[in-house]
């Protein structure tokens, strides 16, 4: 069952964090007690809870949002049930696929549909015809690749230069010599500043530029994705939306999930640990599992204070800045102008991806406009309504046939989400060597999980891997 309390405004969250600077020796409210308290009702927290309950222990799950799922978030009120969060279950997602099979959550393979679009390139206010691109003056692609699109080009570059034999080599200290900026590789390949700006920095896949992203992270992720395809080349999603998966997981739990609980403090004692929330509620357990992403932990007071390396990780490791605008087409304007419905742009519309979640392969149900890095920041500054209007305007300017035929119906900024602070984890140069093996380590009675602590996976499977590890750590102590 799910228990809900009223959500608190952002101001209250900050005030709560400040007031937690000195946790009272004795709570004013009677504590809710269980063997394990789990902070966060995303995939990692729910999976840990399931494993612990199956082993006979009592669990209490608390969640800051008024919904479960964490960074799985399906926009169920829009056509096709598009995803604002995690969208694909890949070939090697063994835990995820097993969980869906176990809980009777049906999956569909959308890989063929996802490959149907060949995005148009739009720079400096206009779409560049594909036939003109190889010789166009704005084409700053590397020599020998001028006929190729900048969209997705970085993946091939990393693959051709990747020294890792296995994706798991990234956490071997012998590989940490590659934990420098991706900029170094691109310059060593002879790329000009204009090429780097076009290919990597216009719509960054990771970080905000080639300067602030670890090359070793790129090597790991590229090798990991390649391995997923080698296992089975699929891109699966739950029918009805991926949020159906954590909902099904939550329904297996014997204990309640407490929603609207903003954590402001965690204390470890000799015999137990306590989790304090800003509404005065206190949760007490022999162990605590914290699945919260790193940015929100900056507002949580830990007593005793966490070690310097852990605090440094919390304060400095970032997550991808992603702001999405979801567009619904009223008419198939792409049939009128004869262009691909998808676009790769240098505008506030970012990467415009036609999504096909309808009954037939060729039905475009919606457009997912990815604003990444600096574009995400710009859209956030505008605010939701102005950002949606701006994205619509940019698409209509680039594609006059779309005028009056599209509608902005959804918006999600992950960095403005106080319980996320961004989307997937991004390792800056030097952070893998200094923090990777430490960030998931337990501290006293507190255990840590979440995608940012996974060593062998990313995304949803990384979350599941980390929840499993944390649950086994706890089982070894109880």
């Amino acid at each position: 069952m799910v228990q809900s309390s009223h959500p608190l405004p952002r101001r209250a969250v900050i005030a709560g964090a400040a007031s937690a600077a000195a946790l009272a020796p004795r709570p004013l409210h009677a504590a809710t007690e269980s063997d394990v308290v789990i902070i966060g009702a995303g995939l990692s927290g729910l999976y840990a809870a399931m494993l612990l309950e199956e082993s006979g222990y009592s669990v209490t799950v608390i969640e800051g949002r008024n919904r479960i799922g964490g960074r799985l978030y399906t926009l169920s009120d829009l056509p096709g049930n598009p995803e604002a969060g995690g969208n694909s279950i890949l070939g090697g997602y063994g835990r995820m696929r097993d969980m869906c099979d176990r809980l009777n959550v049906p999956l569909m393979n959308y890989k063929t549909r996802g490959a149907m679009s060949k995005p148009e390139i739009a720079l400096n206010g206009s779409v560049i015809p594909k036939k003109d691109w190889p010789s166009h003056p704005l084409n700053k692609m590397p020599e020998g690749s001028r006929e190729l699109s900048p969209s997705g080009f970085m993946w091939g570059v990393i693959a051709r230069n990747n020294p890792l034999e296995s994706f798991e080599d990234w956490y071997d200290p012998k590989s940490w010599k590659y934990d420098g900026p991706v900029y170094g590789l691109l310059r060593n390949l002879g790329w000009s500043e204009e090429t780097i700006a076009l290919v990597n920095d216009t719509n960054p896949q990771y970080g905000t530029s080639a300067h602030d992203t670890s090359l070793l992270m790129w090597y790991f992720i590229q090798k990991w994705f390649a391995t997923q395809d080698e296992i089975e080349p699929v891109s699966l999603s739950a029918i009805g939306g991926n949020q159906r998966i954590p909902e099904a997981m939550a329904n297996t739990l014997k204990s309640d999930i407490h929603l609207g609980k903003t954590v402001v403090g965690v204390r470890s004692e000799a015999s137990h640990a306590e989790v304090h929330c800003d509404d005065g509620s206190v949760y007490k357990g022999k162990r605590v599992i914290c699945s919260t992403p790193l940015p929100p932990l900056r507002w949580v007071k830990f007593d005793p204070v966490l070690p310097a390396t852990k605090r440094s990780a919390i304060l400095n490791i970032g997550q991808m800045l992603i702001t999405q605008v979801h567009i619904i087409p009223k008419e198939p304007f792409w049939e009128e102008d004869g262009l691909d419905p998808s676009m790769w742009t240098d505008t506030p519309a970012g990467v415009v991806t036609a999504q096909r979640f309808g009954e037939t392969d060729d039905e475009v149900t919606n457009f997912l406009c990815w604003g990444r890095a600096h574009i995400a920041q710009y859209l956030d500054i505008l605010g939701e309504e102005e950002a949606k209007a701006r994205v619509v305007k940019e698409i209509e300017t680039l594609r006059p046939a779309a005028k009056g035929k599209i509608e902005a119906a959804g918006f999600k900024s992950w960095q403005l989400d106080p319980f996320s602070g961004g989307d997937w984890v991004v390792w800056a140069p030097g952070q893998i060597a200094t923090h990777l093996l430490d960030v998931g380590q337990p501290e006293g009675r507190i255990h840590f999980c979440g995608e940012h602590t996974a060593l062998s996976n990313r995304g949803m499977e990384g979350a599941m891997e980390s929840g499993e590890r944390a649950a086994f750590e706890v089982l070894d102590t109880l």
Side-chain angles (χ1 to χ4, degrees):
M1 293 188 298
V2 174
Q3 294 182 349
S4 178
S5 61
H6 294 294
L8 294 167
R10 178 65 173 155
R11 181 178 299 172
V13 175
I14 296 174
S19 66
L23 298 177
R26 294 180 180 273
L28 298 177
H29 296 250
T32 300
E33 296 191 31
S34 55
D35 290 323
V36 184
V37 179
I38 297 179
I39 304 171
L43 287 176
S44 58
L46 291 172
Y47 191 36
M50 290 176 67
L51 292 171
L52 289 166
E53 278 199 350
E54 289 166 3
S55 298
Y57 294 97
S58 61
V59 174
T60 302
V61 180
I62 62 175
E63 165 62 47
R65 301 179 178 90
N66 277 325
R67 66 170 180 84
I68 63 169
R71 279 172 286 172
L72 285 190
Y73 182 32
T74 301
L75 302 180
S76 302
D77 56 338
L78 299 186
N81 301 301
E83 306 294 347
N87 51 32
S88 295
I89 297 172
L90 304 180
Y93 279 37
R95 297 174 184 84
M96 283 298 298
R97 298 178 71 172
D98 177 72
M99 183 62 67
C100 291
D101 183 61
R102 170 183 169 185
L103 301 180
N104 297 313
V105 178
L107 301 176
M108 181 171 176
N109 184 12
Y110 290 98
K111 190 174 183 68
T112 301
R113 294 186 182 187
M116 289 177 64
S117 284
K118 307 297 180 187
E120 304 291 344
I121 301 170
L123 296 172
N124 281 17
S126 63
V127 174
I128 300 173
K130 288 185 171 73
K131 64 181 179 61
D132 297 338
W133 174 245
S135 59
H136 198 277
L138 293 179
N139 186 338
K140 303 299 181 182
M141 296 294 287
E143 199 63 38
S145 301
R146 290 179 59 84
E147 75 283 0
L148 300 178
S149 169
S151 176
F153 185 75
M154 277 292 294
W155 291 102
V157 173
I158 297 297
R160 290 189 294 273
N161 293 276
N162 197 335
L164 304 186
E165 295 183 8
S166 164
F167 60 84
E168 292 189 307
D169 289 344
W170 82 305
Y171 58 82
D172 185 338
K174 295 178 181 177
S175 300
W176 292 351
K177 59 187 176 183
Y178 304 116
D179 191 20
V182 69
Y183 178 84
L185 169 67
L186 303 183
R187 288 297 285 166
N188 287 339
L189 293 175
W191 286 24
S192 67
E193 294 296 335
E194 292 83 359
T195 299
I196 295 173
L198 174 71
V199 174
N200 188 85
D201 297 354
T202 299
N203 290 295
Q205 188 74 34
Y206 302 103
T208 61
S209 75
H211 295 278
D212 67 1
T213 309
S214 169
L215 177 60
L216 180 55
M217 181 189 70
W218 258 110
Y219 285 156
F220 157 60
I221 295 173
Q222 183 279 318
K223 187 68 73 172
W224 179 79
F225 271 111
T227 303
Q228 300 301 310
D229 265 359
E230 290 171 6
I231 294 171
E232 187 180 4
V234 295
S235 182
L236 305 168
S237 293
I239 295 176
N242 286 333
Q243 201 167 348
R244 307 294 82 82
I245 303 170
E247 289 172 355
M249 295 170 69
N251 284 336
T252 69
L253 297 179
K254 303 171 187 175
S255 56
D256 296 338
I257 297 177
H258 300 250
L259 300 180
K261 296 293 182 178
T262 299
V263 174
V264 296
V266 181
R267 170 190 282 136
S268 288
E269 300 282 3
S271 61
H272 67 276
E274 297 174 355
V275 178
H276 294 246
C277 298
D278 68 350
D279 62 359
S281 56
V282 179
Y283 296 86
K284 180 177 176 181
K286 298 172 184 175
R287 294 278 160 171
V288 169
I289 294 178
C290 179
S291 71
T292 308
L294 293 174
L297 288 183
R298 296 165 192 167
W299 299 104
V300 176
K301 173 71 175 180
F302 287 90
D303 180 15
V305 174
L306 296 175
T309 53
K310 188 82 74 179
R311 285 187 287 115
S312 176
I314 291 171
L315 292 173
N316 294 297
I317 296 175
Q319 290 177 203
M320 190 64 193
L321 305 181
I322 291 288
T323 300
Q324 302 175 354
V325 174
H326 292 257
I327 302 289
I328 305 301
K330 301 176 183 177
E331 298 180 37
F333 63 86
W334 53 93
E335 294 180 0
E336 179 180 337
D337 63 20
L339 300 176
D340 194 283
S342 297
M343 294 187 294
W344 185 93
T345 85
D346 63 351
T347 74
V351 179
V352 181
T353 303
Q355 298 193 307
R356 296 173 168 87
F357 295 134
E359 296 295 324
T360 61
D361 288 354
D362 58 355
E363 178 188 358
V364 176
T365 53
N366 71 292
F367 290 90
L368 170 55
C369 302
W370 292 86
R372 299 171 180 165
H374 54 284
I375 297 177
Q377 291 175 320
Y378 176 68
L379 294 175
D380 290 348
I381 291 170
L382 293 181
E384 178 175 345
E385 294 307 315
E386 190 173 345
K388 291 187 332 190
R390 180 60 186 270
V391 169
V392 168
K393 179 181 178 181
E394 294 292 349
I395 295 175
E396 290 181 343
T397 298
L398 293 170
R399 307 284 288 270
K403 191 170 182 62
K405 300 174 184 176
I406 57 175
E407 176 186 4
F411 178 91
K412 179 61 180 178
S413 168
W414 283 105
Q415 54 278 2
L416 292 183
D417 184 328
F419 304 105
S420 180
D423 208 322
W424 53 81
V425 66
V426 176
W427 296 89
Q431 289 184 339
I432 294 174
T434 56
H435 293 307
L436 179 63
L437 297 182
D438 176 71
V439 71
Q441 291 297 308
E443 303 294 343
R445 293 182 175 273
I446 307 169
H447 301 256
F448 296 88
C449 63
E451 177 246 7
H452 57 283
T453 70
L455 293 180
S456 298
N457 289 284
R458 294 279 292 190
M460 290 184 259
E461 188 68 10
M464 296 287 280
E465 172 200 315
S466 70
E468 179 182 85
R469 171 190 48 76
F472 288 163
E473 288 174 356
V474 170
L475 288 173
D476 284 342
T477 69
L478 293 178

